[in-house]
Short mmCIF file of all heavy atoms in Angstrom, two decimals:
data_model
loop_
_atom_site.label_atom_id
_atom_site.label_comp_id
_atom_site.label_asym_id
_atom_site.label_seq_id
_atom_site.Cartn_x
_atom_site.Cartn_y
_atom_site.Cartn_z
N ILE A 582 -65.66 45.63 156.55
CA ILE A 582 -65.59 44.23 156.96
C ILE A 582 -65.84 44.06 158.43
O ILE A 582 -66.38 43.08 158.89
CB ILE A 582 -64.10 43.79 156.69
CG1 ILE A 582 -63.86 43.85 155.19
CG2 ILE A 582 -63.88 42.51 157.24
CD1 ILE A 582 -62.39 43.74 154.93
N HIS A 583 -65.37 45.13 159.19
CA HIS A 583 -65.52 45.00 160.75
C HIS A 583 -66.97 45.13 161.14
O HIS A 583 -67.46 44.43 161.96
CB HIS A 583 -64.70 46.17 161.25
CG HIS A 583 -64.79 46.37 162.75
ND1 HIS A 583 -65.04 47.50 163.42
CD2 HIS A 583 -64.49 45.45 163.84
CE1 HIS A 583 -64.96 47.31 164.70
NE2 HIS A 583 -64.60 46.11 164.94
N SER A 584 -67.70 46.06 160.41
CA SER A 584 -69.13 46.41 160.93
C SER A 584 -70.14 45.34 160.28
O SER A 584 -71.24 45.29 160.96
CB SER A 584 -69.48 47.84 160.48
OG SER A 584 -68.64 48.75 160.98
N PHE A 585 -69.85 44.70 159.24
CA PHE A 585 -70.89 43.76 158.69
C PHE A 585 -70.33 42.39 158.32
O PHE A 585 -69.11 42.28 157.99
CB PHE A 585 -71.42 44.51 157.28
CG PHE A 585 -72.03 45.82 157.54
CD1 PHE A 585 -71.31 47.02 157.25
CD2 PHE A 585 -73.30 45.85 158.11
CE1 PHE A 585 -71.97 48.17 157.50
CE2 PHE A 585 -73.95 47.08 158.43
CZ PHE A 585 -73.22 48.29 158.06
N ASN A 586 -71.25 41.50 158.34
CA ASN A 586 -70.85 40.16 157.67
C ASN A 586 -71.28 40.24 156.29
O ASN A 586 -72.33 40.93 155.93
CB ASN A 586 -71.62 39.14 158.36
CG ASN A 586 -71.17 38.77 159.75
OD1 ASN A 586 -70.06 38.48 159.93
ND2 ASN A 586 -72.06 38.81 160.74
N TRP A 587 -70.58 39.55 155.42
CA TRP A 587 -70.75 39.72 153.93
C TRP A 587 -71.12 38.43 153.31
O TRP A 587 -70.40 37.42 153.56
CB TRP A 587 -69.52 40.38 153.25
CG TRP A 587 -69.26 41.85 153.65
CD1 TRP A 587 -68.83 42.26 154.80
CD2 TRP A 587 -69.68 42.94 152.93
NE1 TRP A 587 -68.85 43.62 154.82
CE2 TRP A 587 -69.37 44.08 153.68
CE3 TRP A 587 -70.28 43.16 151.67
CZ2 TRP A 587 -69.58 45.34 153.25
CZ3 TRP A 587 -70.60 44.36 151.27
CH2 TRP A 587 -70.20 45.51 152.07
N GLY A 588 -72.07 38.44 152.35
CA GLY A 588 -72.43 37.19 151.70
C GLY A 588 -72.88 37.55 150.18
O GLY A 588 -73.13 38.69 149.94
N PRO A 589 -73.05 36.56 149.43
CA PRO A 589 -73.59 36.74 148.10
C PRO A 589 -75.03 37.17 148.04
O PRO A 589 -75.67 36.96 149.10
CB PRO A 589 -73.40 35.43 147.39
CG PRO A 589 -73.45 34.45 148.43
CD PRO A 589 -72.86 35.10 149.72
N PRO A 590 -75.59 37.66 147.01
CA PRO A 590 -76.95 37.94 146.96
C PRO A 590 -77.80 36.78 147.25
O PRO A 590 -77.37 35.61 146.98
CB PRO A 590 -77.21 38.54 145.54
CG PRO A 590 -75.91 38.77 145.04
CD PRO A 590 -74.87 38.00 145.73
N ALA A 591 -79.00 36.92 147.73
CA ALA A 591 -79.89 35.81 148.16
C ALA A 591 -80.03 34.87 146.98
O ALA A 591 -80.17 35.26 145.88
CB ALA A 591 -81.21 36.28 148.55
N GLY A 592 -79.88 33.54 147.21
CA GLY A 592 -80.14 32.60 146.08
C GLY A 592 -78.86 32.25 145.33
O GLY A 592 -78.87 31.38 144.35
N GLN A 593 -77.69 32.94 145.62
CA GLN A 593 -76.50 32.74 144.83
C GLN A 593 -75.45 32.11 145.75
O GLN A 593 -75.43 32.40 146.98
CB GLN A 593 -75.92 34.09 144.32
CG GLN A 593 -75.59 34.13 142.83
CD GLN A 593 -74.84 35.38 142.51
OE1 GLN A 593 -73.71 35.73 143.02
NE2 GLN A 593 -75.47 36.20 141.62
N ARG A 594 -74.57 31.30 145.09
CA ARG A 594 -73.46 30.85 146.00
C ARG A 594 -72.30 31.74 145.92
O ARG A 594 -72.09 32.47 144.87
CB ARG A 594 -72.97 29.42 145.51
CG ARG A 594 -74.06 28.39 145.69
CD ARG A 594 -73.65 27.07 145.13
NE ARG A 594 -73.07 27.23 143.76
CZ ARG A 594 -72.43 26.25 143.16
NH1 ARG A 594 -72.21 25.08 143.62
NH2 ARG A 594 -72.03 26.48 141.83
N SER A 595 -71.37 31.81 147.01
CA SER A 595 -70.26 32.67 146.94
C SER A 595 -69.45 32.47 145.71
O SER A 595 -69.05 33.56 145.11
CB SER A 595 -69.39 32.36 148.12
OG SER A 595 -69.98 32.50 149.26
N GLU A 596 -69.18 31.32 145.31
CA GLU A 596 -68.32 31.01 144.26
C GLU A 596 -68.90 31.51 142.87
O GLU A 596 -68.23 31.49 141.88
CB GLU A 596 -67.78 29.60 144.19
CG GLU A 596 -68.88 28.56 144.09
CD GLU A 596 -69.36 28.09 145.47
OE1 GLU A 596 -69.46 28.98 146.41
OE2 GLU A 596 -69.67 26.90 145.64
N ASP A 597 -70.19 31.77 142.89
CA ASP A 597 -70.88 32.09 141.55
C ASP A 597 -70.87 33.62 141.32
O ASP A 597 -71.36 34.09 140.33
CB ASP A 597 -72.28 31.53 141.57
CG ASP A 597 -72.31 30.07 141.45
OD1 ASP A 597 -71.30 29.56 141.06
OD2 ASP A 597 -73.43 29.53 141.96
N ILE A 598 -70.25 34.40 142.28
CA ILE A 598 -70.21 35.85 141.99
C ILE A 598 -69.47 36.06 140.72
O ILE A 598 -68.36 35.63 140.58
CB ILE A 598 -69.61 36.59 143.27
CG1 ILE A 598 -70.57 36.55 144.33
CG2 ILE A 598 -69.15 37.99 142.88
CD1 ILE A 598 -70.20 37.39 145.54
N ASN A 599 -70.07 36.93 139.98
CA ASN A 599 -69.43 37.14 138.55
C ASN A 599 -68.22 38.04 138.68
O ASN A 599 -68.29 39.08 139.36
CB ASN A 599 -70.54 37.83 137.72
CG ASN A 599 -69.99 38.08 136.30
OD1 ASN A 599 -69.13 38.82 136.03
ND2 ASN A 599 -70.60 37.30 135.34
N MET A 600 -67.14 37.62 138.09
CA MET A 600 -65.81 38.38 138.17
C MET A 600 -65.43 38.94 136.76
O MET A 600 -64.26 39.16 136.62
CB MET A 600 -64.76 37.47 138.81
CG MET A 600 -65.08 36.94 140.30
SD MET A 600 -65.18 38.35 141.48
CE MET A 600 -63.48 38.45 141.87
N ASP A 601 -66.35 38.99 135.91
CA ASP A 601 -65.94 39.62 134.55
C ASP A 601 -65.42 41.02 134.67
O ASP A 601 -66.03 41.75 135.49
CB ASP A 601 -67.11 39.56 133.62
CG ASP A 601 -67.47 38.02 133.17
OD1 ASP A 601 -66.65 37.22 133.50
OD2 ASP A 601 -68.54 37.91 132.65
N GLU A 602 -64.55 41.29 133.76
CA GLU A 602 -63.96 42.71 133.78
C GLU A 602 -64.61 43.45 132.71
O GLU A 602 -64.93 42.95 131.62
CB GLU A 602 -62.49 42.66 133.53
CG GLU A 602 -61.69 41.89 134.56
CD GLU A 602 -60.32 41.41 134.04
OE1 GLU A 602 -60.16 41.42 132.71
OE2 GLU A 602 -59.51 41.12 134.78
N SER A 603 -64.82 44.86 132.93
CA SER A 603 -65.16 45.67 131.89
C SER A 603 -63.82 45.85 131.03
O SER A 603 -62.70 45.55 131.43
CB SER A 603 -65.62 47.02 132.35
OG SER A 603 -64.51 47.67 132.96
N MET A 604 -63.98 46.47 129.79
CA MET A 604 -62.82 46.80 129.03
C MET A 604 -62.65 48.28 128.86
O MET A 604 -63.61 48.93 128.76
CB MET A 604 -62.82 46.04 127.64
CG MET A 604 -62.58 44.64 127.80
SD MET A 604 -62.31 43.75 126.23
CE MET A 604 -64.06 43.50 125.84
N GLY A 605 -61.39 48.66 128.84
CA GLY A 605 -61.18 50.16 128.74
C GLY A 605 -59.99 50.53 129.56
O GLY A 605 -59.25 49.76 130.10
N LEU A 606 -59.81 51.82 129.83
CA LEU A 606 -58.69 52.27 130.52
C LEU A 606 -58.90 52.09 132.03
O LEU A 606 -57.93 52.19 132.82
CB LEU A 606 -58.30 53.74 130.29
CG LEU A 606 -57.78 54.00 128.78
CD1 LEU A 606 -57.54 55.49 128.56
CD2 LEU A 606 -56.55 53.15 128.53
N SER A 607 -60.15 51.90 132.49
CA SER A 607 -60.48 51.68 134.00
C SER A 607 -61.04 50.31 134.04
O SER A 607 -61.83 49.94 133.22
CB SER A 607 -61.44 52.69 134.44
OG SER A 607 -61.04 53.93 134.34
#
Side-chain angles (χ1 to χ4, degrees):
I582 295 168
H583 178 233
S584 298
F585 300 100
N586 287 308
W587 291 79
Q593 226 187 68
R594 292 178 312 170
S595 302
E596 57 271 35
D597 293 338
I598 286 190
N599 185 290
M600 299 295 272
D601 289 350
E602 301 160 339
S603 66
M604 284 191 277
L606 292 179
S607 304

